[in-house]
Amino acid sequence: MHHVLWPLAVAWLIGVVVSIAVAVNFTQRAFDRALLDDAYSVAGSVRSTGDSIDLALSPREVGAVLFDQSERIYFAVLWPDGTLLAGHAGLHAPSPEGAASYRFSDITYQGRRLRAVTLRRGAPLEYEVVMAETTRSREALLRTLLVYVIGPQIGLLLLLGIWLFRAISRDVQPLVALEHAMETRDARDLTPVPANASTREIQRLAVAVNGLFARVSAGVRAQREFAGNVAHELRTPLAGIRALAEYGLAQKDPAAWREQLQRIAQSEERASHLVDQLLAMARADEAGVMQMRTVLLDEVARDAVLRFLPRADAARVDLGARGLDEPVAVRAHPALVEGIVNNLIDNALRYGGATDGSRSTITVALSVQAEAGTARLTVVDNGPGIGAAQRDHLQQRWARGPEGAWLKQGTGLGLAIIGRYAALMDAPFTLADGPEGRGLAASVLLPLAATDGADGPAAPPTRVL
């Protein structure tokens, strides 16, 4: 606040000094002009008589010249050597300099401070006229001017100071509120701060802070999503490694140990490859750029079915495939496509079991719509399905259906990861009822790869080690 009020006070003081100087100057010039007119009037009454001059004014006329209601006026007509020709004896003032015809000065006469003017005349004989007067009227007028100049300016300064104080306090209040909100906010709270501001500067500051919060929140959310994705995607290979290790420990034949160790090494290599893929996907997601390649969708689906067959057999689930006989090349990201297929089958195995006592079935179907230039990958089960009201909710992160909560399985990330992977490839992901309204049909629509070579050679499908 003082950074504004102090410069304002200094500016006001400078303005007052300038105003006083201007008022004094014009007041002095007005009174001096009147005094000079009196000198000219006296000089006009001086008559030349040969080699001498005299003042052709009667005592009455002299009294008229010297009359003033508030000031005492003195005059003298002097020869160049200072000899008094007429007027008040001993009244002297500095003579004009150079070619000047008159000169104003402040003198003291008979103990009084006077304002005087010396008028030089030189036709035909040279002489000087000195007119002087007291300065009571000047001083009174200056005091009046000072009152009328300084008084309103002081009042204006006070009003302006009060207005500025209130206006600045009002404008800074949102900044104080923002400071208080930042000091009392939890470090994990990245929600936008209120941006109610009366000035554009504070509004911009609030917008900038909220923008920073949004970027930090996006970074934290991406980290959490990445951690959740890694935890979710690694469950299957880690569970496989544990199962292989337990099976190997139960054997006594060194050949079985060696076989299981080889499988464990292959599973570990697959888990490491999966982590690398997730890291690459996280970096691409953060940069907003996803490198699409030509992927053989039929081979990716076939490899996934073969990989989940042992688990499906152990759970007495009939896992089959349809439409994988012909090659289908799509434009997609290999890691994302593999993640979608794996998660669709994994979710079907977890929650798609039949509830009416019949054998559980899961079918991975691949169909091509050549006219639309798309390929549809669908995983269908004959389980309880998902109600239309719950489908959007279950595609959110950490959301589990009633079956998952009852079985205490899953983390609520499967469908969310599938939806995110599909969104990164601009591939529509839908949930619908299975055949005859039974079970769940989860499908993703991918664009077919160009067949004229415009997209380059087909990339090798993602292999499962």
Side-chain angles (χ1 to χ4, degrees), residues 46-306:
V46 175
R47 298 291 184 262
S48 175
T49 58
D51 56 353
S52 181
I53 57 174
D54 59 1
L55 183 63
L57 289 176
S58 65
R60 184 176 181 179
E61 291 173 339
V62 172
V65 172
L66 302 180
F67 175 76
D68 191 281
Q69 291 183 348
S70 57
E71 298 292 352
R72 183 74 179 271
I73 300 178
Y74 305 89
F75 86 99
V77 180
L78 306 173
W79 289 103
D81 59 359
T83 303
L84 178 66
L85 175 64
H88 295 85
L91 182 62
H92 294 278
S95 299
E97 297 179 348
S101 60
Y102 59 87
R103 177 180 178 180
F104 292 98
S105 59
D106 295 315
I107 64 174
T108 301
Y109 179 68
Q110 295 179 355
R112 294 186 179 93
R113 294 177 61 252
L114 305 177
R115 180 66 172 173
V117 61
T118 303
L119 177 63
R120 177 186 295 166
R121 307 296 285 176
L125 298 176
E126 185 175 343
Y127 63 91
E128 292 180 353
V129 177
V130 178
M131 292 293 299
E133 66 179 1
T134 55
T135 58
R136 289 191 297 270
S137 297
R138 297 171 184 249
E139 294 171 354
L141 181 58
L142 287 176
R143 286 194 296 268
T144 303
L145 287 175
L146 290 179
V147 170
Y148 282 104
V149 170
I150 297 178
Q153 289 199 11
I154 291 178
L156 180 62
L157 177 65
L158 292 176
L159 291 176
L160 185 59
I162 294 172
W163 179 80
L164 282 176
F165 181 82
R166 298 184 63 180
I168 294 176
S169 299
R170 182 181 64 253
D171 292 340
V172 174
Q173 186 61 37
L175 189 59
V176 176
L178 178 62
E179 178 185 6
H180 178 71
M182 298 297 292
E183 289 178 348
T184 58
R185 173 172 290 226
D186 187 87
R188 295 168 294 181
D189 186 4
L190 297 175
T191 57
V193 297
N196 299 325
S198 57
T199 62
R200 288 187 298 177
E201 289 74 14
I202 299 180
Q203 182 76 23
R204 291 173 181 172
L205 175 61
V207 171
V209 171
N210 288 335
L212 176 61
F213 279 171
R215 293 191 294 272
V216 173
S217 178
V220 172
R221 185 170 59 253
Q223 292 177 357
R224 290 176 179 173
E225 290 182 0
F226 173 73
N229 292 349
V230 170
H232 185 273
E233 297 286 7
L234 287 181
R235 284 188 308 167
T236 299
L238 291 180
I241 291 174
R242 183 177 61 185
L244 292 172
E246 291 176 352
Y247 179 80
L249 291 174
Q251 305 300 316
K252 296 183 179 180
D253 185 3
W257 296 345
R258 180 178 180 82
E259 180 183 359
Q260 296 307 311
L261 287 176
Q262 290 177 344
R263 292 183 177 180
I264 289 174
Q266 292 175 351
S267 297
E268 188 279 332
E269 185 175 355
R270 166 174 165 72
S272 298
H273 178 63
L274 181 59
V275 171
D276 292 338
Q277 289 178 322
L278 289 173
L279 285 171
M281 186 196 67
R283 287 193 295 266
D285 188 14
E286 182 179 357
V289 178
M290 195 63 62
Q291 297 267 344
M292 299 300 175
R293 301 172 57 191
T294 300
V295 179
L296 296 179
L297 186 57
D298 59 299
E299 294 191 9
V300 175
R302 186 182 302 108
D303 291 345
V305 170
L306 294 175

Side-chain angles (χ1 to χ4, degrees), residues 13-24:
L13 181 60
I14 294 175
V16 169
V17 171
V18 172
S19 299
I20 293 175
V22 172
V24 170

